[in-house]
């Protein structure tokens, strides 16, 4: 991959984390209050489960990304910190508890994601839909973004989620196709692209204002030419929003960090992705899929010159 002078390239199995990735430990009282409130409602967040480096900033500002369908995943991706194994039963009251938390937090834009549940006939799609419908019913004007698994390619499962009233449908490619066997062995690059294209077509056919979104991690060993191909594929699938951030290995047992692209390189790649046809690109080392999700979604509306708006007014 093309490097800039300020990029950090792997020379050993353990790289020193560059200064632009260091975040202060949370000390804000709002951080601990939100943590306690979520714990009291028995709710998980991907912020904690995936060890997001932005948790201090997000919790302290009163935002979080909810993790539904339990905290045990049926897949074992080499980059992910979420526990892999046999999940427990789905909690029927979870939609209500998520709605309680979102209302208490005063959110106008909520982000919902999940573990992958290949053990369920619909992959958890109906549960996703129940959460979205509960939120939309209980909190008028709320905009909802969902970050969904691939549902093993099920069109019916995808449409179940889309019909629930989501505003942004996010499904991450995570990395370039050549790295899937090592990084996402139970996923499929073509399957994920097809999901995004189906969501675009569904929204167009029904004249629904649903934006599609995807995310990539950098530093896993991808090349610039491989990334260019992904940008083209995403643009062809109708992906409106792309996030790119630095991969950080949760432990020595996970896929290693191969390199640390500099902030300048992240900016260069954002320009390249836009040139390939993706309207809104949020790219920086600490960017994650749901980081500043509301602002990114509003940017997508501006980029598409849409006359409609997301329900994010206070």
């Amino acid at each position: 991959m093309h490097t800039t002078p300020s990029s950090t390239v792997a020379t050993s199995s353990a790289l020193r984390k560059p200064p632009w990735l260091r975040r202060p430990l949370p000390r804000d009282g709002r951080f601990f209050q939100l943590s306690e409130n979520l714990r009291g409602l028995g709710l998980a967040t991907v912020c904690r489960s995936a060890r997001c480096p932005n948790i201090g900033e997000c919790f302290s500002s009163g935002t979080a990304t909810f993790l539904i369908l339990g905290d045990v995943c049926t897949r074992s991706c080499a980059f992910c910190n979420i526990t892999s194994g046999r999940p427990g039963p789905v909690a029927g009251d979870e939609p209500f508890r998520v709605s309680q938390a979102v209302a208490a937090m005063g959110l106008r834009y909520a982000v919902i994601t999940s573990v992958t549940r290949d053990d369920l006939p619909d992959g958890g799609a109906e549960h996703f839909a129940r959460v979205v419908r509960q939120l939309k019913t209980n909190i008028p004007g709320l905009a909802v973004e969902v970050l969904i698994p691939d549902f093993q390619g099920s069109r019916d499962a995808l449409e179940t989620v889309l019909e629930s009233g989501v505003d942004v449908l996010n499904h991450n490619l995570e990395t370039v196709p050549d790295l899937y066997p090592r990084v996402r062995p139970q996923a499929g690059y073509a399957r994920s692209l097809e999901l995004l294209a189906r969501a675009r077509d569904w929204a167009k056919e029904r004249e629904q204002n649903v934006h599609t979104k995807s995310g990539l991690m950098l530093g896993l060993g991808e090349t610039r030419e491989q990334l260019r191909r992904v940008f083209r594929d995403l643009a062809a699938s109708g992906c409106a929003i792309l996030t790119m951030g630095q991969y950080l290995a949760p432990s020595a047992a996970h896929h290693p960090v191969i390199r640390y692209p500099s902030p300048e390189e992240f900016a260069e790649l954002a320009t390249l992705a836009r040139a390939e046809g993706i309207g809104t690109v949020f790219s920086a080392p600490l960017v994650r899929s749901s980081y500043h999700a509301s602002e990114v979604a509003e940017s997508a509306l501006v980029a598409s010159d849409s006359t409609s708006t997301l329900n994010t007014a206070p």
Side-chain angles (χ1 to χ4, degrees):
M1 183 173 184
H2 170 79
T3 61
T4 61
S6 53
S7 296
T8 302
V9 181
T11 56
S12 67
S13 59
L15 293 176
R16 183 184 298 275
K17 188 180 294 185
W20 58 75
L21 287 172
R22 295 171 190 161
R23 301 300 303 263
L25 293 173
R27 294 186 175 88
D28 192 298
R30 291 174 296 177
F31 173 91
F32 299 104
Q33 184 62 55
L34 180 57
S35 297
E36 187 61 30
N37 291 346
L38 293 172
R39 189 177 295 112
L41 287 168
L43 294 173
T45 64
V46 75
C47 318
R48 282 201 183 281
S49 296
R51 296 179 61 183
C52 179
N54 301 315
I55 186 172
E57 175 188 345
C58 293
F59 272 31
S60 294
S61 65
T63 63
T65 297
F66 297 94
L67 183 71
I68 64 172
L69 290 165
D71 57 3
V72 177
C73 186
T74 54
R75 297 188 186 178
S76 51
C77 297
F79 63 85
C80 187
N81 190 60
I82 293 176
T83 301
S84 177
R86 178 178 294 180
V90 177
D93 67 340
E94 188 171 55
F96 176 70
R97 288 185 284 116
V98 171
S99 178
Q100 280 187 301
V102 170
M105 293 162 70
L107 299 180
R108 305 305 298 165
Y109 191 100
V111 184
I112 312 296
T113 189
S114 77
V115 293
T116 299
R117 293 294 302 260
D118 290 333
D119 60 311
L120 300 175
D122 68 348
E126 178 55 37
H127 191 74
F128 256 108
R130 287 183 58 216
V131 171
V132 175
R133 289 194 296 266
Q134 183 89 54
L135 286 169
K136 293 278 188 173
T137 298
N138 289 9
I139 310 171
L142 179 74
V144 180
E145 175 177 321
V146 293
L147 171 55
I148 61 171
D150 62 26
F151 299 131
Q152 299 188 77
S154 169
R155 183 189 296 270
D156 289 343
L158 173 62
E159 293 189 356
T160 293
V161 176
L162 288 166
E163 289 165 359
S164 68
V166 299
D167 297 279
V168 175
L169 185 125
N170 188 356
H171 175 68
N172 287 339
L173 291 184
E174 306 291 7
T175 189
V176 299
D178 290 354
L179 293 178
Y180 265 55
R182 281 181 284 163
V183 176
R184 301 188 72 199
Q186 294 146 295
Y189 180 76
R191 179 197 295 170
S192 289
L193 280 175
E194 185 176 39
L195 180 151
L196 292 167
R198 283 176 173 173
R200 172 203 58 198
D201 294 344
W202 181 93
K204 184 176 181 179
E205 289 167 3
R206 290 159 180 78
E207 298 183 342
Q208 297 295 309
N209 187 38
V210 179
H211 289 279
T212 54
K213 177 178 177 181
S214 193
L216 294 169
M217 301 175 294
L218 304 188
L220 287 157
E222 68 287 336
T223 68
R224 178 164 292 217
E225 197 50 47
Q226 288 171 336
L227 286 170
R228 185 189 293 270
R229 172 192 165 185
V230 172
F231 299 156
R232 290 171 181 162
D233 288 344
L234 282 170
S237 76
C239 181
I241 305 169
L242 172 63
T243 59
M244 289 188 285
Q246 173 68 52
Y247 167 64
L248 297 173
S251 75
H254 289 78
H255 191 289
V257 176
I258 304 302
R259 63 189 296 269
Y260 290 111
S262 68
E264 293 79 12
E265 188 171 349
F266 273 93
E268 291 172 10
L269 289 168
T271 299
L272 181 59
R274 294 186 194 100
E276 294 293 350
I278 302 173
T280 299
V281 184
F282 189 23
S283 175
L286 285 167
V287 166
R288 297 295 182 266
S289 291
S290 54
Y291 188 53
H292 291 286
S294 176
E295 296 95 320
V296 174
E298 286 292 343
S299 296
L301 289 171
V302 173
S304 64
D305 294 322
S306 174
T307 57
S308 58
T309 59
L310 294 173
N311 297 317
T312 53

